[in-house]
Amino acid sequence: MDFHDTQFLYRLTADFTVVIHFAFVMFVLLGQILITVGAFAGWNWVRNFKFRIIHLASILFVVFESVAGIVCPLTTLEKWLREQAGQTSYQGDFIANWVHDMLFFQADPWVFTVCYSLFGLFVLITFFVAPPRRKLKVQTAEEV
């Protein structure tokens, strides 16, 4: 593999990292929308214990990063991959460029910390207002 093939792989991996990052953000945002709507609509699946724990842990991770001043590992990885690809600015394909622009916009860091914290608080409140439920194991006659 020559130098240009390696750069292409780094760029492709950076683009893939942005898509994964976007999927994570959409999981947190759309997940909360569906949980909220589902709680009022009586959808049982939004009370799935594993889903709700993963969802809560996801936003708490983001809040922790923001409060601690830690740059997201996916952002760090993407920047490193772009450097390895020889890119100084974002130069991916259309989808990756669009996803990147949706994820990263300019504001003071405190704005993001407040937004993440308020959203995390909303998720936590929803966790108690519409609590997740564990599936009960049904015992068979042989187990009794």
Side-chain angles (χ1 to χ4, degrees):
M1 181 176 286
D2 69 9
F3 178 70
H4 296 291
D5 290 337
T6 303
Q7 283 185 325
F8 173 76
L9 289 175
Y10 278 120
R11 184 178 67 80
L12 190 62
T13 306
D15 290 348
F16 181 70
T17 302
V18 171
V19 171
I20 296 297
H21 200 172
F22 185 74
F24 178 84
V25 171
M26 289 296 100
F27 169 73
V28 172
L29 290 175
L30 295 177
Q32 184 58 36
I33 291 169
L34 291 172
I35 290 165
T36 303
V37 170
F40 290 107
W43 302 340
N44 286 329
W45 71 267
V46 300
R47 293 181 183 256
N48 178 282
F49 188 78
K50 288 180 186 176
F51 166 66
R52 294 291 295 279
I53 290 292
I54 292 168
H55 185 259
L56 179 62
S58 297
I59 188 59
L60 290 179
F61 178 77
V62 171
V63 170
F64 172 76
E65 283 178 330
S66 184
V67 169
I70 299 169
V71 176
C72 176
L74 291 172
T75 301
T76 303
L77 176 61
E78 183 208 353
K79 286 181 179 180
W80 181 82
L81 289 166
R82 296 227 181 269
E83 287 175 13
Q84 302 309 305
Q87 294 179 314
T88 55
S89 63
Y90 196 79
Q91 300 172 0
D93 62 16
F94 173 76
I95 298 295
N97 192 25
W98 177 78
V99 169
H100 190 274
D101 290 345
M102 293 281 296
L103 280 176
F104 301 103
F105 51 92
Q106 298 298 316
D108 289 334
W110 70 266
V111 173
F112 294 103
T113 300
V114 168
C115 290
Y116 298 151
S117 297
L118 289 174
F119 191 83
L121 182 61
F122 180 53
V123 171
L124 193 57
I125 289 169
T126 308
F127 204 81
F128 291 103
V129 171
R133 296 185 184 132
R134 292 180 186 247
K135 287 185 179 181
L136 297 175
K137 183 178 178 183
V138 178
Q139 290 184 334
T140 64
E142 297 164 358
E143 294 177 329
V144 176

